[in-house]
Amino acid sequence: MTIARPVRALIVAVVFAVCLLVMHFAGSSPSKSSVFKLDSHERDPNLDPTHEPEGLLRRTSKGYLPGPEGTERINATLLALVRNEELNGMLQAMGDLERTWNHKFNYPWTFFNDVPFTDEFKRRTSAATKAECFYEVIPDEHWAKPGWINEDLFQESVKMLKENDIQYADKLSYHQMCRWNSGMFYRHPALEHMQFYWRVEPKVHFFCDVDYDVFRYMQDNNKTYGFTITLYDAPHSIPTLWPETVKFLAEHPEHVHANNAMDWLTDRVRRPDHNNKANGYSTCHFWSNFEIADLSVWRSKAYEDYFNHLDRAGGFFYERWGDAPVHSIALGLFEDKSNIHWFRDIGYQHIPFFNCPNSPKCKGCVTGRLTDGEAWLNREDCRPNWFKYVGMG
């Protein structure tokens, strides 16, 4: 007997939803041998000159040379969303990254703002690098609150978020920033022909000399996303993000990659409180204030369909969905997890968290320390979960 297409689609959706529920509630604790323990003091093989991976040995070949037109430099940019009043913090971050890496490769900087940059901002940032600098204004249609967001509901939602101590909940610009970083930035004409980007925020620190072209490393090794830190999110900021994701997956099971990181997204062992309050999501996410990525990930049909679904659901404004969990869930579901890379050799800090490699190439950070804040912040580290389910890459 032939089953009608709508019935077949319904059966697929039901089976997928049942599989998700089984994964959520199977609930057996892993054995001690299956739990990865991160040794923060283990020597990083990527930084040992006598044991360099194949991808790094070719860093002095023609393809790794710095320089403008005429070399084989990758089509990539350093990308920053920054306000005029954040100039000093941006100069500090640029100084660190230029000193430790970019003076060797001269990749261009692309700065975005929702208002025009001042002459002072342009003059001082362009003086901080030998690379080209581009200054772009975000179109109103990419930044403004979309027309389907109900203002009264938004204001009521803000009150509820503030009652739950959700940071920045009452700042419209923060909601707009999260939405722009999630699904709008790569649509800007300035990035139309760009392949890779490295996101850099004001006031971040870079501690380690990195001698190879990270963009070429990404391309040569088929990596599509790179991170340094993974953390747990505040579950009260994203209570409906995972239910909306499950709804989307029931409608689009074809987008789920066979080699996905679903276990990482739904782990219940280390922070069951987060999993419960976030309705099935572990809240583990890549801390996206640092990300090196292939723009084709966000331009894919899977991600575009997913972002449009979330955008219409309104959670960027009715809740505080950030680009970090949105990007991370999409990567965990739609991307081959083997293409996601931990840049263990890039020393990095966005207050209050660090990634500090054990290497003589690093100065200014303490090996093994995740945070310079309160001790309880160490509980927010989700890297052991990633290493347990995916590996150290």
Side-chain angles (χ1 to χ4, degrees), residues 11-269:
I11 292 172
V12 170
V14 169
V15 169
F16 192 84
V18 169
C19 290
L20 283 173
L21 289 172
V22 169
M23 294 179 72
H24 294 341
F25 299 110
S28 56
S29 299
S31 65
K32 290 184 178 180
S33 62
S34 68
V35 178
F36 181 90
K37 183 177 180 181
L38 174 63
D39 182 358
S40 299
H41 297 277
E42 179 183 358
R43 180 157 184 83
D44 184 352
N46 284 348
L47 291 164
D48 190 337
T50 63
H51 295 89
E52 287 185 322
E54 180 181 352
L56 304 190
L57 285 173
R58 297 190 293 109
R59 68 191 182 199
T60 55
S61 70
K62 181 180 178 183
Y64 282 75
L65 291 175
E69 186 178 356
T71 67
E72 294 184 25
R73 193 174 59 188
I74 296 301
N75 184 18
T77 190
L78 303 170
L79 185 154
L81 174 64
V82 57
R83 297 186 179 98
N84 287 307
E85 56 267 31
E86 295 174 304
L87 172 58
N88 289 334
M90 194 71 244
L91 290 171
Q92 179 265 299
M94 288 182 72
D96 273 14
L97 191 53
E98 287 289 332
R99 183 186 69 256
T100 57
W101 182 74
N102 197 43
H103 77 277
K104 305 162 192 172
F105 300 98
N106 296 318
Y107 275 97
W109 288 85
T110 304
F111 300 98
F112 289 97
N113 196 350
D114 64 315
V115 300
F117 285 103
T118 64
D119 290 340
E120 181 188 12
F121 187 98
K122 294 178 182 179
R123 175 175 54 81
R124 295 182 64 188
T125 50
S126 62
T129 177
K130 293 180 180 179
E132 283 188 284
C133 293
F134 301 94
Y135 302 91
E136 306 293 342
V137 177
I138 300 169
D140 288 342
E141 61 270 23
H142 287 182
W143 190 258
K145 186 168 51 179
W148 58 82
I149 298 300
N150 182 283
E151 181 62 24
D152 292 336
L153 182 55
F154 170 64
Q155 294 299 335
E156 286 300 316
S157 300
V158 165
K159 292 178 183 177
M160 294 177 63
L161 290 168
K162 289 183 68 177
E163 289 173 2
N164 284 309
D165 296 322
I166 299 302
Q167 195 174 22
Y168 310 126
D170 58 342
K171 295 185 180 299
L172 174 61
S173 61
Y174 193 86
H175 294 268
Q176 292 169 310
M177 177 191 70
C178 289
R179 177 176 180 260
W180 186 81
N181 277 327
S182 293
M184 308 305 294
F185 79 97
Y186 56 86
R187 304 181 188 190
H188 195 286
L191 299 179
E192 182 179 3
H193 301 295
M194 198 63 67
Q195 181 184 2
F196 288 96
Y197 69 95
W198 182 339
R199 178 171 160 184
V200 183
E201 293 198 354
K203 296 184 179 180
V204 299
H205 291 274
F206 297 92
F207 301 106
C208 307
D209 287 328
V210 178
D211 299 325
Y212 63 98
D213 184 336
V214 297
F215 294 121
R216 182 163 288 280
Y217 177 84
M218 295 279 286
Q219 178 172 277
D220 288 356
N221 292 277
N222 198 32
K223 303 298 183 182
T224 54
Y225 190 85
F227 70 96
T228 54
I229 297 170
T230 70
L231 299 172
Y232 289 96
D233 209 347
H236 289 303
S237 68
I238 49 171
T240 67
L241 177 56
W242 187 252
E244 282 295 336
T245 299
V246 172
K247 186 187 302 183
F248 173 79
L249 295 178
E251 297 170 356
H252 293 283
E254 73 276 8
H255 288 329
V256 180
H257 198 283
N259 191 31
N260 62 66
M262 176 70 80
D263 289 341
W264 177 65
L265 295 173
T266 58
D267 179 89
R268 300 177 59 86
V269 177

Side-chain angles (χ1 to χ4, degrees), residues 266-339:
T266 58
D267 179 89
R268 300 177 59 86
V269 177
R270 289 189 69 224
R271 294 302 297 270
D273 56 328
H274 280 215
N275 189 288
N276 294 334
K277 293 173 183 175
N279 295 302
Y281 172 35
S282 68
T283 77
C284 281
H285 63 279
F286 304 117
W287 216 25
S288 60
N289 44 70
F290 174 106
E291 59 182 11
I292 301 174
D294 187 333
L295 284 157
S296 64
V297 171
W298 316 130
R299 292 168 176 155
S300 68
K301 180 170 174 51
Y303 187 77
E304 284 278 80
D305 287 349
Y306 180 58
F307 172 76
N308 289 334
H309 176 95
L310 297 182
D311 202 22
R312 282 288 176 175
F316 292 108
F317 294 91
Y318 301 142
E319 296 178 9
R320 200 205 65 185
W321 295 353
D323 53 278
V326 170
H327 279 187
S328 301
I329 291 174
L331 289 162
L333 293 173
F334 313 138
E335 188 64 11
D336 185 335
K337 63 188 179 186
S338 67
N339 293 342

